[in-house]
């Protein structure tokens, strides 16, 4: 065998962690196999996956209009058949034709321009303009296989060594810590204020920025996840202005993870893109660098498996744009179905289109159900002894704080694991419910959390609540001092 | 603006080059715009793209069966409609149902297992077994968004610093030099023997391996591209055995780029996977590490835009496999349409299936046409003054050697470019034909080449040949000493 061992591989790979698919999930898959091969072998009869923002895996149906268009673009030779008109909506057929006309040679099987098909980028830019009320340039759009490769690309561009710092919220989505570790940079943590509904204070940014500088680290960029993952908060516009000013003043690239922009559940909050906020403050292309990440995996569509998304790259000089283009070129292009879907989510059916009513019903049904599920789970967490849970204003997660008894913390130590991991493992073994331990997202020292998605279908929520409640009660009993 | 400049970005990004989408292509796109906005502004009326292995962009139609299955999987709710039976072939409907049954919850919009959907990996492993006659394990398959991300993943795993070397053929496909540059490793070149039909001599491997060692570089892996890109040769099985033995002896990971496995045009050559060759020599999992890359972008299907592919990873211990799995997990999963298509190319319709005859006609039509085009272009190159061109036994390219007159070399120097770039630029400006200069692939010092794909549709080939021939004649006249 070749001389490849843990001692001889890239140590940055070893350092990288990715909890969303870590130990607890592996255990869940093993339990699921056992339930299949030996029914009745556990006290539960199914695994309830609350670990990952993967709506369709839990039964959320895809949006019909989007799938109609994708199917027609995959097999355009049926477009002219009469049966097609009875199988597909008229506006899906029309949209598929428009999209095919935008693709050079109508070739959905060809590599596209490295940034993605120009006509689709036009549609996306128009969608951003109508969302923000500020101009968007199709040449600023880079279509990608989901948001993850876009984040990796920016980290690859910016990070030279461990002396380069990337400011990240704590708790954060582990893609960021993983990507920074893989590039050998330094994650500069800033803490969200749990007591203030996971508030993002500019004073905390300043403090951590100065602390990093004093250690010889050069902060290069600030990651903001809005709506928050795993924390579910939606930033107020005024707060965003402070963040923009901070980035402008310190010359930081603002990496805005805005993949949950359609997922806002409370009437008092509204999503504002960071680019819109910057433009509304009078800051243009020459004043601040903002990269906005969007994905087809989230929102009301939840098309994770399609791996579509884009980044809108503003405020970089042409020589840097050329480098970004080169990095995009090395992988040739993102997948065309994902590109098409990205254009659809930024330009869904409009009033008067044949599909508009059914589309709106599907969309509203999903979003209002998510809001109800968020509220039910939030309330359930807050009734548990020693648990506090902020509101899920947006995104797809709750991140409750669990005050674990000292005895449980010792028990975790005894089996060489973290207390939150210990709790999640016990929960899974007792109930089949899969949470992700807070450690995977990092958390304020001495606090323990877990991340729970709001995605189980509504008819499963009562089971989640009752099993969780019963487990938690007996867990607290067991470890009471 | 944020303090991002060429001086402050990752220097590895600056080092990375990717000629397939470089200067000449940018110029071609500009010319195409000019032809559109000012028809008649050039002496040619269309750009003839011979620069990239992108068959469908040049009019190659997709394989009907594959697209039927993809469309049905995108929009499964039409599967039960009676009109569907008149629009789609019966075996496509059957296959789509089988595939949907393999996907947990039939959710084509869900993230899959990080390695790809298990049922599809079963199909792919069965396809490899039937191709090779040796066992393949579905747990060795990692589905990816095309072959490029798979190559990046392996480079990321293996390269620690510039002291780690990766043996690559020269000429090579620039993905390899780009990926090694981005990871900060050292490309250890081994030269293919142009005079022996781009032969790969083990003696040359040994020489370059020893040379690298003497410079303090640790060779970690050997890249072999078979059939060759840009060189078009198909390795003889006996030659492959020597390569396997060399890797085994020196503890090198064998990175086998086998994406052109279906593209063999000469009866005297046959594709053999390196894993098959290793197994046929009696070497098992514990003897040698082989990674085989496959893609849906090449072959007779040419589905570049779908970004599908896989790597088969054999001969690593479980602790390394775990690290590879983690790296795959950080991007969650590859796109599901690409996953489905990967299973289809490894398990196309069989004798007796409704689509078999039409499928075979499509496949054979494309492959025999590619063989004719390769021969016509090869013959055309060999009639040109000072040009020699090896046979395209496989893949999609010719890589002719052009003995440029001293005066042309000086003219190139005068405008600060390489002679091959100079030639390609002149060719493009005079004829609209797009080749890639050999420099982008690297070449033996003092030799100049260009890469030309065999992909223009057959009715365009006479125009390519006559324009090229005329250009070359006048170019040689102009620079004759």
């Amino acid at each position: 065998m070749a001389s490849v061992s843990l001692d001889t591989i890239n140590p940055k790979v070893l350092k990288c962690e990715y909890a969303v698919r870590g130990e607890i999930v592996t255990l869940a898959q093993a339990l699921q196999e056992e339930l299949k091969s030996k029914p009745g072998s556990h006290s539960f009869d199914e695994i309830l996956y609350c670990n990952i923002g993967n709506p369709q895996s839990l039964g959320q149906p895809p949006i019909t209009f989007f799938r109609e268009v994708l199917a027609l673009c995959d097999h355009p030779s049926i477009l002219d058949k009469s049966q097609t008109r009875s199988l597909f909506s008229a506006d899906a057929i029309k949209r598929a034709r428009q999209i095919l006309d935008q693709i050079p040679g109508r070739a959905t099987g060809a590599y596209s321009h490295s940034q993605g098909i120009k006509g689709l980028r036009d549609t996306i830019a128009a969608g951003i303009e109508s969302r923000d009320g500020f101009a968007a340039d199709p040449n600023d759009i880079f279509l990608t296989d989901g948001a993850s490769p876009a984040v990796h690309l920016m980290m690859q561009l910016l990070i030279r060594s461990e002396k380069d710092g990337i400011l990240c919220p704590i708790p954060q989505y582990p893609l960021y810590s993983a990507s920074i570790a893989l590039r050998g940079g330094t994650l500069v943590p800033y803490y969200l204020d749990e007591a203030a509904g996971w508030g993002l204070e500019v004073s905390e940014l300043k403090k951590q920025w100065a602390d990093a500088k004093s250690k010889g680290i050069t902060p290069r960029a600030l990651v903001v996840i809005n709506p928050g993952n795993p924390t579910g908060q939606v930033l107020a516009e005024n707060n965003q202005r402070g963040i923009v000013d901070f980035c402008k003043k310190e010359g930081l690239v603002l990496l805005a993870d805005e993949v949950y922009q359609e997922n806002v559940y409370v009437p008092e909050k509204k999503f504002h893109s960071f680019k819109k906020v910057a433009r509304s403050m009078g800051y243009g292309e020459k004043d601040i660098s903002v990269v906005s990440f969007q994905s087809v995996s989230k929102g009301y569509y939840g098309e994770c498996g399609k791996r579509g998304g884009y980044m809108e790259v503003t405020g970089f000089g042409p020589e840097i744009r050329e480098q970004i283009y080169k990095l995009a070129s090395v992988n040739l292009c993102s997948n065309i179905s994902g590109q098409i879907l990205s254009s659809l989510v930024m330009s869904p059916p409009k009033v008067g289109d044949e599909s508009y009513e059914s589309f709106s019903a599907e969309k509203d049904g999903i979003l209002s159900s998510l809001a109800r599920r968020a509220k039910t789970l939030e309330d359930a967490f807050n009734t548990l002894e020693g648990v506090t849970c902020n509101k899920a204003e947006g995104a797809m997660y709750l991140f409750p704080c669990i005050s674990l008894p000292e005895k449980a913390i010792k028990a975790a130590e005894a089996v060489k694991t973290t207390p939150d991991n210990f709790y999640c493992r016990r929960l899974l073994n007792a109930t089949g419910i899969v949470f992700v331990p807070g450690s995977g997202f990092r958390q304020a020292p001495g606090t323990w959390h877990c991340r729970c998605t709001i995605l189980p279908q509504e008819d499963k929520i009562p089971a989640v609540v009752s099993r969780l409640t019963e487990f938690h009660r007996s867990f607290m009993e067991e470890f009471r001092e």
Side-chain angles (χ1 to χ4, degrees), chain A residues 8-33:
Chain A
T8 62
I9 65 166
N10 180 356
K12 291 170 189 159
V13 171
L14 284 177
K15 261 197 202 157
C16 159
E17 287 179 7
Y18 198 68
V20 176
R21 299 207 157 184
E23 179 210 322
I24 298 287
V25 182
T26 307
L27 175 59
Q29 285 162 347
L31 289 175
Q32 187 162 34
E33 287 301 310

Side-chain angles (χ1 to χ4, degrees), chain A residues 111-295:
Chain A
Y111 294 128
S112 71
H113 184 282
S114 302
Q115 289 184 233
I117 292 160
K118 175 61 167 53
L120 301 177
R121 287 187 279 130
D122 291 339
T123 305
I124 290 169
I128 295 172
E129 285 187 1
S130 94
R131 181 194 70 196
D132 290 351
F134 288 95
D137 183 345
N139 294 321
D140 292 345
I141 310 291
F142 287 74
L143 285 150
T144 53
D145 291 315
S148 303
V151 169
H152 289 308
L153 189 154
M154 289 309 301
M155 296 299 177
Q156 183 156 47
L157 181 80
L158 292 171
I159 296 173
R160 292 162 295 185
S161 73
E162 70 285 355
K163 300 265 178 180
D164 280 328
I166 309 291
L167 280 149
C168 287
I170 300 297
Q172 53 102 35
Y173 178 55
L175 166 66
Y176 294 98
S177 51
S179 186
I180 294 167
L182 285 173
R183 308 300 159 197
T186 296
L187 187 154
V188 177
Y190 66 86
Y191 289 87
L192 301 174
D193 184 355
E194 183 161 14
W198 297 115
L200 197 173
E201 297 300 327
V202 173
S203 57
E204 166 71 4
L205 296 179
K206 286 180 181 165
K207 188 183 135 207
Q208 299 294 350
W209 180 89
D211 185 53
K213 290 286 270 187
S214 76
K215 290 174 181 154
I217 288 168
T218 310
R220 303 297 308 276
L222 173 75
V223 172
V224 181
I225 310 174
N226 180 45
N229 175 8
T231 43
Q233 84 284 28
V234 177
L235 296 179
E237 197 175 356
N238 193 38
N239 195 184
Q240 292 183 269
R241 283 200 200 98
I243 296 163
V244 166
D245 263 330
F246 174 73
C247 288
K248 181 175 180 304
K249 179 158 172 271
E250 305 304 351
L252 294 169
V253 177
L254 177 46
L255 299 174
D257 181 335
E258 300 181 325
V259 303
Y260 295 100
Q261 57 189 264
E262 303 265 13
N263 300 94
V264 178
Y265 308 119
V266 292
E268 67 273 23
K269 286 289 181 75
K270 196 174 164 329
F271 168 77
H272 303 283
S273 81
F274 269 100
K275 196 190 104 197
K276 169 187 160 182
V277 171
R279 295 291 177 270
S280 70
M281 295 167 76
Y283 298 148
E285 185 70 19
K286 294 207 182 299
D287 300 305
I288 183 168
S289 308
V290 181
V291 182
S292 167
F293 302 100
Q294 166 67 317
S295 166

Side-chain angles (χ1 to χ4, degrees), chain A residues 48-82:
Chain A
L48 292 164
Y49 286 99
C50 305
N51 59 303
I52 189 166
N54 194 6
Q56 295 193 27
S57 73
L58 299 177
Q60 180 178 306
I63 299 290
T64 306
F65 176 80
F66 294 169
R67 292 304 191 97
E68 287 183 312
V69 176
L70 288 180
L72 291 167
C73 289
D74 266 344
H75 193 40
S77 55
I78 63 172
L79 273 169
D80 295 321
K81 302 271 173 70
S82 60

Side-chain angles (χ1 to χ4, degrees), chain A residues 1-11 13-14:
Chain A
M1 202 186 306
S3 50
V4 180
S5 69
L6 291 183
D7 298 332
T8 62
I9 65 166
N10 180 356
V13 171
L14 284 177

